[in-house]
């Protein structure tokens, strides 16, 4: 559905591209064989693949997980509004394309800290009345949730799916990402969902993890692989959807059972408790 979008376009800062600094959105685009990247991004991706040869496979598996979760949320859970935080450069199988198969009127807001991502997303959306992209920093969730575009497209009284897919590992512990996710959860209506995938350190050899961290140390954001235990803490207060917190390739993908290890991303979906079913923790 297209026309004149009724919300004020969110401010997008000037691109101010420094193509000599590897950018986390564009490194990921390289891993997915995308075309929206520069030499510094490709060099960073090459170094990452030297350290962690499974990184490109894991990026594709993460993208496939995202697609399966949106299918689950739209078809089985009946979710009709989605907020995709740290959405990344548009690629195949974007959230609105999957959600709107179940319901063409499903609302989707994309947000990202990277102006280039927002410009690309807006170009793809071309004045959709149900989908928008906005520039926002996950570290300021209260600002994000009060933006006009969110207040127009997202009904705060209805269940919402918040997607935090492959983004929380760009926030160091000093940002307290657990507290940030808790602030998001507090804004969600009962029966909402939080989808998280996160780079896990448990199965990466220590030296490979060190080299990968070094690649991101010189990039637009640091990369922080976390233990499965630390990733599980993001879901506190939520009811886990089966099969719980697992390797991205293992989340509701029986056809992928027995895929090669190591697991580089842990992933899961939690649901905010329904009234009368408060959790004990
Ligand atoms: C690896 S990409 C993930 C893209 C997509 N979610 C996926 O999993 O396919 C991570 C994205 O998170 C964005 N990002 C990093 N830090 C962020 C922050 N503080 N707030 C919002 N977005 C952020 C990056 O710009 C990048 O586009």
């Amino acid at each position: 559905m297209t026309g004149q979008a009724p919300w004020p376009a969110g401010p997008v800062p000037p691109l101010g591209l420094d193509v000599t600094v590897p950018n986390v959105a564009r490194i990921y685009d390289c891993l997915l064989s995308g075309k929206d990247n520069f030499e510094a991004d490709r060099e960073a991706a090459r170094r990452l693949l030297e350290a962690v040869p499974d990184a490109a496979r894991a990026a594709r598996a993460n993208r496939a997980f995202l697609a399966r979760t949106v299918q689950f949320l739209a078809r089985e859970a009946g979710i009709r509004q989605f907020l995709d935080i740290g959405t990344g450069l548009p690629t195949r199988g974007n959230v609105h394309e999957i959600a709107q198969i179940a319901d063409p009127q499903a609302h989707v807001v994309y947000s990202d800290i990277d102006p280039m991502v927002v410009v690309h997303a807006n170009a793809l959306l071309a004045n959709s009345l149900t989908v928008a992209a906005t520039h926002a920093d996950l570290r300021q969730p209260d600002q994000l949730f009060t933006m006009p575009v969110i207040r127009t497209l997202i009904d705060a009284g209805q269940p919402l799916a918040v997607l935090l897919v492959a983004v929380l590992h760009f926030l160091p512990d000093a940002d307290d990402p657990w507290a940030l996710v808790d602030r998001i959860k507090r804004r969600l209506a009962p029966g909402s969902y939080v989808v998280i995938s996160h780079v896990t350190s448990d199965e990466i050899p220590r030296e490979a993890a060190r080299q990968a961290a070094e690649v991101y140390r010189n990039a637009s954001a640091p990369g922080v692989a976390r233990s499965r235990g630390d990733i599980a803490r993001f879901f506190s207060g939520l009811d886990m959807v089966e099969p719980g917190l697992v390797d991205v390739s293992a989340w509701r993908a029986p056809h992928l059972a027995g895929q090669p290890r190591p697991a580089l991303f842990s992933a899961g979906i939690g649901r905010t408790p329904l009234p009368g079913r408060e959790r004990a923790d």
Side-chain angles (χ1 to χ4, degrees), residues 83-272:
L83 172 58
D84 184 8
I85 303 178
T87 182
L89 287 157
T91 176
R92 265 189 310 185
N94 298 300
V95 171
H96 72 285
E97 292 160 346
I98 300 169
Q100 292 189 343
I101 293 172
D103 181 352
Q105 292 304 311
H107 286 189
V108 178
V109 178
Y110 294 109
S111 88
D112 204 284
I113 197 172
D114 187 329
M116 180 171 155
V117 167
V118 180
V119 167
H120 274 258
N122 275 322
L124 175 80
L125 300 171
N127 287 332
S128 166
L129 293 179
T130 51
V131 189
T134 191
H135 182 253
D137 186 342
L138 165 58
R139 290 168 295 183
Q140 290 161 349
D142 301 320
Q143 276 187 19
L144 168 62
F145 273 83
T146 50
M147 291 178 114
V149 64
I150 301 271
R151 286 153 58 134
T152 309
L153 279 180
I154 304 293
D155 180 346
Q158 294 299 316
L160 167 68
V162 175
L163 312 179
L164 292 163
V165 179
V167 61
L168 289 166
H169 48 241
F170 294 119
L171 302 189
D173 287 4
D175 285 332
D176 198 348
W178 297 277
L180 295 170
V181 174
D182 284 346
R183 267 158 67 190
I184 292 175
K185 288 178 210 159
R186 282 199 287 274
R187 290 184 166 273
L188 301 180
S192 294
Y193 290 83
V194 179
V195 179
I196 293 175
S197 74
H198 194 299
V199 170
T200 182
S201 50
D202 292 0
E203 297 183 26
I204 309 177
R206 188 175 295 232
E207 177 55 17
R210 191 196 63 73
Q211 288 174 14
E214 185 63 23
V215 171
Y216 282 99
R217 199 171 64 78
N218 298 314
S220 57
V224 189
R226 295 193 165 94
S227 69
R228 196 161 291 195
D230 278 347
I231 298 169
R233 286 170 51 210
F234 288 117
F235 294 97
S236 75
L238 302 177
D239 296 323
M240 291 306 287
V241 172
E242 286 295 325
L245 180 63
V246 294
D247 174 10
V248 270
S249 301
W251 198 90
R252 297 199 179 204
H255 59 291
L256 295 178
Q259 283 284 297
R261 308 297 281 177
L264 297 184
F265 283 88
S266 292
I269 299 189
R271 187 174 70 156
T272 57

Side-chain angles (χ1 to χ4, degrees), residues 16-29:
L17 276 187
D18 180 352
V19 299
T20 65
V21 176
N23 170 286
V24 298
R26 299 195 300 256
I27 296 171
Y28 185 68
D29 182 63

Side-chain angles (χ1 to χ4, degrees), residues 72-85:
F72 161 78
L73 292 164
R75 286 193 199 155
E76 293 182 42
I79 292 292
R80 291 295 176 265
Q81 37 182 21
F82 295 80
L83 172 58
D84 184 8
I85 303 178

